[in-house]
Amino acid sequence: MSENPQVQPILDRIETREHELAAQAEQLRARIEELAQQLRETDAETENLRITRKTLLALPMPSPAAEPEAPDIPVHPAYQQILTALADAGRPMRARDLCQALDLPILPKNTEGIRSKLKRLVSRGILAETEPGLFARPDA
């Protein structure tokens, strides 16, 4: 090296700066490797999502779910009158109460006839017997 005393401090500063730049370059290389790894992971996840989308689009469409069939209400008008009376009342009723609501005389034959119709509506899922002898619409 040069024996010139004026040049030595400059050479020392250059060497210090070279070490600083080498350290900085090493840090940047490490950061580049870290970013490259993150990029590979992101690319892999993106590819997985693309494959998932492609697979889902290739699946056949499910057939539409069939609407549950409404229970068959018997044709006789008495059943419609019973259902209307229950809807108007908005509360569970007994056969005797329905006889009164339908303006039928409170006689055993009438209450038993209404009770049997109520039981038939319960068996078809149109009405519910909330407790023995007490009938209501399932949605009420």
Side-chain angles (χ1 to χ4, degrees), residues 27-46:
Q27 287 176 349
L28 290 172
R29 283 186 192 90
R31 181 71 178 136
I32 287 171
E33 183 54 40
E34 181 183 323
L35 289 173
Q37 178 61 31
Q38 288 177 357
L39 181 59
R40 285 189 293 274
E41 291 169 0
T42 300
D43 285 343
E45 187 174 348
T46 300

Side-chain angles (χ1 to χ4, degrees), residues 56-117:
L56 286 174
L57 291 174
L59 291 174
M61 289 292 294
S63 59
E67 297 267 336
E69 290 186 28
D72 292 332
I73 298 174
V75 180
H76 195 276
Y79 291 98
Q80 198 58 49
Q81 292 170 347
I82 290 170
L83 293 173
T84 302
L86 278 168
D88 290 346
R91 62 178 174 76
M93 297 179 78
R94 300 190 178 280
R96 180 182 175 93
D97 300 331
L98 279 164
C99 284
Q100 287 178 334
L102 298 173
D103 293 326
L104 295 173
I106 312 277
L107 298 172
K109 70 176 187 167
N110 291 338
T111 55
E112 287 307 314
I114 294 290
R115 188 180 337 277
S116 72
K117 287 175 178 56

Side-chain angles (χ1 to χ4, degrees), residues 1-6 8:
M1 293 234 184
S2 169
E3 298 289 328
N4 185 347
Q6 293 175 340
Q8 191 58 42

Side-chain angles (χ1 to χ4, degrees), residues 45-56:
E45 187 174 348
T46 300
E47 181 64 13
N48 288 340
L49 290 172
R50 189 190 64 75
I51 291 169
T52 302
R53 177 186 296 114
K54 184 177 178 182
T55 302
L56 286 174

